[in-house]
Amino acid sequence: MGKKNDGKVLAQNKKASHDYFIEDTYEAGMVLTGTEIKSVRNGRVNIGDAFATIRNGEIHIHNMHISPFEQGNRFNPTDPTRTRKLLMHKAQISKLLGLSKQEGYTIVPLKIYIRNGYAKLLLGLGKGKKQYDKRDSAAKRDAQRDIQRALREKQKVAR
């Protein structure tokens, strides 16, 4: 029997697919305080300008904003953008470290969701897009939209 929030996306970084070619994804757990997880479950989290770093064999996320819980107690964290530790297997962290050391690669948070009662963060290994790549992606998306529109119009006429 699952929880009601299982699989629900609580925050998404929509700009990540616009700014990066996402080549691989990894799931990580987050070390949060009691009031932070309550705010995350309420969807009061923003990962728009967050990024991950690896130091001393541990992976951390920076600039992830979790709003303070309104009914919080004195142990409520005062800094909503504090650095938080992520939980991953050591082999995954070393693999990510090796891949992210390559030129142009970075670790980008993609979305936050709840799985089996735990808050999870989906990390993507991204290679930065140049301006012309972004224009090319936009042109492909527009062309695909035009094709879908034409197919829908053709189906309406056929009826």
Side-chain angles (χ1 to χ4, degrees), residues 74-103:
R74 62 188 174 140
F75 300 112
N76 232 2
T78 55
D79 183 19
T81 59
R82 72 180 179 89
T83 301
R84 293 168 181 88
K85 184 177 173 181
L86 299 178
L87 305 171
M88 290 178 76
H89 293 287
K90 193 173 281 191
Q92 286 180 319
I93 293 175
S94 60
K95 182 179 177 186
L96 255 178
L97 179 63
L99 292 172
S100 66
K101 289 283 186 193
Q102 296 176 17
E103 187 67 32

Side-chain angles (χ1 to χ4, degrees), residues 12-127:
Q12 197 164 4
N13 188 355
K14 294 180 181 171
K15 223 164 150 45
S17 61
H18 181 262
D19 292 338
Y20 300 97
F21 293 113
I22 305 298
E23 298 189 0
D24 206 0
T25 58
Y26 299 89
E27 184 180 73
M30 295 186 284
V31 177
L32 301 172
T33 65
T35 55
E36 282 180 330
I37 187 62
K38 289 181 178 188
S39 288
V40 168
R41 285 181 191 274
N42 288 337
R44 298 177 52 84
V45 61
N46 183 1
I47 56 172
D49 50 337
F51 63 96
T53 58
I54 300 175
R55 282 179 289 161
N56 302 329
E58 294 180 342
I59 187 164
H60 297 273
I61 187 158
H62 306 270
N63 289 346
M64 180 174 69
H65 188 279
I66 298 178
S67 299
F69 190 60
E70 293 88 14
Q71 292 85 33
N73 54 19
R74 62 188 174 140
F75 300 112
N76 232 2
T78 55
D79 183 19
T81 59
R82 72 180 179 89
T83 301
R84 293 168 181 88
K85 184 177 173 181
L86 299 178
L87 305 171
M88 290 178 76
H89 293 287
K90 193 173 281 191
Q92 286 180 319
I93 293 175
S94 60
K95 182 179 177 186
L96 255 178
L97 179 63
L99 292 172
S100 66
K101 289 283 186 193
Q102 296 176 17
E103 187 67 32
Y105 283 93
T106 186
I107 305 168
V108 184
L110 300 175
K111 61 182 170 181
I112 296 177
Y113 52 94
I114 302 288
R115 173 173 291 160
N116 297 333
Y118 295 102
K120 301 289 184 180
L121 177 69
L122 188 69
L123 294 172
L125 182 69
K127 186 172 178 63

